[in-house]
Amino acid sequence: IIFTVLYQDGTLKFGSQETTGGSAVVELVVQNGEVIHQPIADFNQYIAAADKPVFVDFWAEWCTPCRLAAPFIEQLAVESDGRASIVKIDVDQAMALAGQYKAQSIPQFSVFKDGELVESTAGYADSMQDSLRQLIDRQLP
């Protein structure tokens, strides 16, 4: 798979997913107490088929609040294991998805249920952790 990324400063980057060491869209799966980043081939198909709420972190490597949120998102995957799915979408590598779900300010945290976007919030501070957990809890039966 070859992809081209056009950065905001106008530079083009070329590469393949194999050489970048990661995928643009990953599910955080808990295996033996460890969080594994499992690539998702088709995000829209994934959320359409999901039988539980899907919490999505739209992020980018260069975004400081995104990097600050990363340990909490991993913790959320452990806490939500079996109750909700946690997904991370790199907006630089998945610009079409970022545009489709209007992820203009990052980090953006969105919750999908029954294939539909039900709630989103942008920005991150440690003080927001409880309200981010509530984004998931509100969608649970």
Side-chain angles (χ1 to χ4, degrees):
I1 297 172
I2 301 296
F3 64 90
T4 305
V5 176
L6 176 63
Y7 285 86
Q8 285 183 330
D9 65 2
T11 59
L12 285 173
K13 305 287 185 209
F14 299 95
S16 69
Q17 287 184 313
E18 288 74 32
T19 59
T20 60
S23 180
V25 183
V26 294
E27 178 182 7
L28 277 57
V29 179
V30 181
Q31 292 180 346
N32 302 323
E34 238 182 278
V35 177
I36 310 295
H37 291 217
Q38 196 167 55
I40 296 173
D42 184 329
F43 175 73
N44 289 315
Q45 187 178 9
Y46 175 88
I47 59 168
D51 60 353
K52 55 190 169 192
V54 180
F55 178 96
V56 179
D57 173 13
F58 289 93
W59 71 284
E61 187 67 42
W62 49 263
C63 163
T64 301
C66 299
R67 290 197 311 270
L68 291 173
F72 170 70
I73 301 304
E74 300 254 336
Q75 176 187 335
L76 200 57
V78 173
E79 292 174 11
S80 302
D81 189 28
R83 299 182 318 126
S85 299
I86 309 297
V87 173
K88 290 177 68 82
I89 297 179
D90 182 333
V91 298
D92 285 337
Q93 292 185 46
M95 290 184 201
L97 282 176
Q100 180 181 351
Y101 295 108
K102 298 175 179 37
Q104 296 167 342
S105 296
I106 56 172
Q108 175 177 301
F109 305 105
S110 299
V111 177
F112 295 81
K113 186 173 183 185
D114 301 323
E116 299 292 323
L117 174 63
V118 291
E119 202 170 348
S120 286
T121 187
Y124 178 78
D126 287 344
S127 60
M128 296 173 63
Q129 291 181 359
D130 285 338
S131 61
L132 291 173
R133 284 182 182 97
Q134 289 168 16
L135 285 177
I136 295 171
D137 291 344
R138 281 195 286 274
Q139 303 310 319
L140 295 172

